[in-house]
């Protein structure tokens, strides 16, 4: 097996993995850039033309690998991008899966959240684009949503950085094992 510099970079990272998922165009890559620093590797997923970016982050004192997946609508893949996103989710055994959604179109996006939960993945829901949702006077009761889903739900506007600190605090709880799985669902 060949040994490349990216293997070295990966070997130096801790084993904790944070995977970013969501529909196309919701802000996953903006989040990836906010979380990761200098050590970013972009490579084709083996056997495909789909590019996957992996970077290092230090969250709550823990070094982890952050993986930016291609946009997906469903865990049942139709496109090559969705196949890669599904494979990354199921093969990389992430400690945290951040489902990024566009808060303006929340209804259309929650079915993927439910699919991720059904797959028993440790999901955090990030309601991005709150700046635009608020401009449209959309009110989202994120506390009620968190209770219903049994997972953390964080309002954010990644473009300005809003919500990122709260997200990091919750991610660090998952990484340190204080919160390793979903909360029990509310009854
Ligand atoms: N208004 C607003 N725009 C945002 C916000 N976050 C991201 N965007 C914009 O949304 C667009 C898509 O962001 P990306 O990070 O490329 O989205 P993505 O989810 O990586 O998209 P794919 O890689 O195609 O799946 C960009 O033009 C961002 O500038 C936000 O909080 N508010
Ligand atoms: Mg992207």
């Amino acid at each position: 097996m060949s040994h490349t510099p990216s293997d070295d970079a990966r070997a130096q990272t801790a084993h904790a993995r944070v995977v970013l998922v969501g529909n196309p165009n919701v802000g996953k890559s903006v989040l990836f850039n906010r979380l990761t620093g200098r050590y970013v590797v972009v490579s084709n997923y083996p056997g495909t033309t789909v590019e996957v970016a992996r970077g290092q982050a230090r969250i709550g004192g823990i070094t982890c690998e952050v993986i930016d997946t291609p946009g997906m609508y469903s865990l049942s893949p139709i496109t090559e991008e969705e196949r890669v996103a599904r494979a990354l989710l199921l093969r990389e055994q992430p400690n945290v899966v951040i489902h990024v959604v566009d808060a303006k179109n929340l209804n259309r996006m929650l079915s993927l959240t439910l699919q991720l939960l059904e797959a028993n993945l440790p999901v955090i829901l990030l309601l991005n684009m709150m700046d635009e949702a608020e401009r449209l006077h959309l009110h989202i009761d994120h506390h009620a949503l968190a209770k219903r889903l049994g997972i953390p739900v964080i309002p954010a506007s990644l473009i300005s950085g809003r919500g990122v600190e709260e997200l990091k605090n919750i991610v660090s709880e998952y990484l340190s094992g204080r919160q390793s799985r979903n909360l029990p669902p509310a009854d």
Side-chain angles (χ1 to χ4, degrees):
M1 231 163 60
S2 69
H3 193 68
T4 64
S6 67
D7 290 334
D8 288 334
R10 213 169 296 163
Q12 284 162 14
T13 62
H15 295 293
R17 269 180 301 278
V18 178
V19 174
L20 314 183
V21 294
N23 284 22
N25 220 29
V26 292
K28 296 181 297 296
S29 296
V30 173
L31 178 60
F32 178 82
N33 290 328
R34 284 200 174 271
L35 293 178
T36 57
R38 280 166 41 202
Y39 301 104
V40 172
V41 178
V42 180
S43 59
N44 282 4
Y45 191 77
T48 73
T49 58
V50 179
E51 285 191 334
V52 174
R54 295 168 186 267
Q56 257 187 54
R58 216 170 147 71
I59 300 176
I62 299 170
T63 303
C64 56
E65 183 183 41
V66 182
I67 304 169
D68 186 12
T69 64
M72 72 188 309
Y73 290 101
S74 156
L75 260 189
S76 311
I78 295 172
T79 63
E80 189 177 36
E81 281 77 10
E82 286 179 322
R83 261 199 300 281
V84 168
R86 178 188 162 89
L88 285 167
L89 276 168
L90 301 182
R91 291 204 190 131
E92 304 263 344
Q93 300 186 318
N95 300 69
V96 187
V97 172
I98 303 174
H99 183 199
V100 185
V101 297
D102 176 352
K104 305 191 297 297
N105 296 304
L106 186 57
N107 288 348
R108 274 201 271 128
M109 302 189 169
L110 280 178
S111 66
L112 179 57
T113 318
L114 296 177
Q115 289 174 26
L116 297 168
L117 290 173
E118 266 168 24
N120 206 25
L121 291 162
V123 184
I124 296 173
L125 182 61
L126 192 78
L127 305 178
N128 191 29
M129 314 235 181
M130 285 302 293
D131 54 323
E132 293 184 348
E134 283 163 1
R135 222 171 295 133
L136 295 169
H137 304 291
L138 294 174
H139 176 73
I140 298 169
D141 186 346
H142 66 271
H143 295 297
L145 189 59
K147 230 172 152 184
R148 276 296 280 278
L149 293 171
I151 57 172
V153 177
I154 304 164
S157 180
L158 294 171
I159 207 135
S160 67
R162 174 180 157 195
V164 175
E165 279 313 304
E166 190 187 345
L167 174 69
K168 283 185 176 174
N169 288 338
I170 292 175
V171 168
S172 77
E173 288 180 13
Y174 277 70
L175 295 180
S176 65
R178 272 174 286 152
Q179 172 68 277
S180 61
R181 280 283 145 186
N182 309 321
L183 303 168
D187 38 33

